[in-house]
């Protein structure tokens, strides 16, 4: 503990990958609001720079946008060097970047490529490459510096689908016809992210680096009304998450408020996995 309030991130340097995503933006806001200097890392450098400008204007703290392809070790190394040059040593890494299958529940027939038997190998490989290899590279390259300084917090964004299997009944249309099946790649990669989190927590524990996962539930974001109704009925709190619902959990994991916590998977899902 450093004498600051336990949830304070004052002056800490944080990197958020996938920083322009639905949750990535919220992670950046939460960190900046808590006092962190945020590097918004995304494939879209211009968009990242624009969002970082919004953070600077809103919170009056240093922030900048940068390009990264997390599946490239060279790109992640360049990101690490750029952040350290512009903001200083990295204290917090939020591995948020990921890709997922596009869900469609308004079709009339089943999308055969969503079935396990016909799931495309290129889609499987793309998701593994981004969701788990990308997370591995960011942990390896950025976490190495944390371990050398014996301090840091890594937060890997996982999913409830890394904990439990998808409920395929969600993906039926209003007539009860199964038009889409949640594919195997996303749940597999998110389960692997949780396993990697546990591995690194024991590997770097004595080096002062804490590694935890945050598993969010479904976020309402323009899905069709039938899907939302089915999801809400399946959730004890009776609603989907808003994008801002995860801000507190993220700051908790990034800050000294969780200083005795590592190797954990913090599930924030409205009770979805409690059934």
């Amino acid at each position: 503990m450093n004498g600051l309030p336990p949830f304070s991130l004052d002056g800490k340097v944080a990197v958020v990958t996938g920083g322009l995503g639905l949750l990535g933006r919220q992670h950046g806001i939460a960190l900046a609001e808590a006092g962190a200097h945020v590097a918004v890392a995304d494939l879209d450098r211009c968009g990242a720079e624009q969002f970082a400008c919004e953070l600077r204007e809103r919170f009056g703290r240093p922030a900048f946008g940068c390009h990264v392809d997390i599946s490239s070790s060279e790109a992640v190394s360049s990101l690490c060097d750029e952040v350290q040059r512009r903001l200083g040593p990295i204290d917090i890494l939020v591995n948020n970047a990921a890709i997922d299958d596009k869900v469609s529940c308004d079709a009339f027939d089943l999308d055969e490529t969503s079935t396990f038997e016909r799931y495309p190998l290129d889609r499987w490989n793309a998701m593994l490459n981004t969701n788990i290899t990308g997370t591995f590279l960011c942990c390896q390259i950025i976490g190495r510096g944390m371990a050398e300084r014996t301090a840091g917090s890594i937060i890997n964004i996982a999913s409830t689908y890394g904990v439990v299997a998808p409920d395929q009944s969600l993906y039926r249309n209003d007539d009860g016809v199964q038009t889409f099946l949640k594919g195997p790649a996303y749940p597999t990669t998110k389960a692997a992210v949780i396993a990697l989190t546990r591995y690194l927590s024991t590997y770097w524990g004595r080096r002062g680096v804490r590694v935890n996962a945050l598993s969010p539930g479904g976020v309402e974001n323009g899905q069709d009304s039938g899907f939302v109704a089915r999801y809400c009925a399946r959730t004890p709190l009776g609603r989907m998450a808003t994008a801002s619902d995860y801000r507190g959990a993220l700051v908790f994991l990034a800050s000294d408020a969780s200083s005795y916590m590592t190797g954990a998977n913090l599930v924030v899902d409205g009770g979805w996995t409690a059934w």
Side-chain angles (χ1 to χ4, degrees):
M1 304 293 282
N2 54 18
L4 294 170
F7 286 92
S8 173
L9 299 175
D10 191 40
K12 298 289 187 181
V13 174
V15 175
V16 181
T17 67
L20 292 182
L22 178 66
L23 293 186
R25 287 176 178 270
Q26 296 298 321
H27 299 333
I29 291 169
L31 293 166
E33 187 174 40
H37 303 172
V38 180
V40 180
D42 200 275
L43 286 168
D44 178 2
R45 178 183 285 274
C46 291
E49 289 175 343
Q50 182 177 353
F51 179 54
C53 181
E54 295 172 16
L55 293 178
R56 290 195 300 272
E57 292 176 353
R58 181 173 174 181
F59 299 107
R61 303 182 188 281
F64 81 98
C66 45
H67 170 270
V68 69
D69 172 1
I70 63 168
S71 66
S72 163
S73 60
E74 292 81 7
V76 175
S77 293
S78 294
L79 166 69
C80 185
D81 292 343
E82 184 177 7
V83 173
Q84 292 184 110
R85 184 173 67 253
R86 297 183 63 171
L87 295 179
I90 299 167
D91 303 293
I92 300 159
L93 168 63
V94 182
N95 279 312
N96 174 73
I99 56 176
D100 194 0
D101 291 309
K102 184 176 181 180
V103 177
S104 176
C105 297
D106 56 4
F108 296 102
D109 299 305
L110 177 65
D111 175 6
E112 292 292 336
T113 66
S114 72
T115 66
F116 178 78
E117 292 84 353
R118 292 178 174 82
Y119 195 81
L121 180 59
D122 59 349
R123 195 183 304 171
W124 169 270
N125 285 336
M127 244 177 270
L128 263 65
N129 196 38
T130 297
N131 298 3
I132 187 61
T133 301
T135 299
F136 162 82
L137 288 173
C138 289
C139 287
Q140 183 183 61
I141 293 167
I142 296 176
R144 181 188 304 141
M146 293 179 177
E148 290 171 354
R149 299 193 318 277
T150 65
S153 176
I154 297 174
I155 304 154
N156 294 324
I157 306 301
S159 169
T160 53
Y161 280 172
V163 179
V164 296
D167 182 348
Q168 303 292 3
S169 68
L170 291 175
Y171 307 102
R172 295 173 183 159
N173 64 20
D174 291 340
D175 295 325
V177 177
Q178 192 85 47
T179 59
F180 178 84
L181 290 164
K182 186 71 174 180
Y186 186 80
T188 299
T189 60
K190 290 304 183 178
V193 164
I194 295 169
L196 178 62
T197 297
R198 291 176 177 142
Y199 172 86
L200 290 174
S201 71
T202 62
Y203 186 80
W204 275 331
R206 299 296 178 92
R207 304 288 296 276
V209 180
R210 297 186 300 108
V211 189
N212 293 289
L214 172 59
S215 285
V219 180
E220 189 167 357
N221 184 38
Q223 296 95 335
D224 72 80
S225 59
F227 176 89
V228 174
R230 290 188 293 274
Y231 195 101
C232 291
R234 171 75 168 70
T235 305
L237 287 185
R239 67 175 178 88
M240 296 188 75
T242 64
S244 62
D245 275 331
Y246 302 105
R247 290 186 190 177
L250 186 87
V251 171
F252 169 67
L253 291 175
S255 70
D256 283 343
S258 60
S259 61
Y260 195 57
M261 187 172 179
T262 195
N265 178 31
L266 181 57
V267 179
V268 184
D269 65 352
W272 176 273
T273 55
W275 292 115

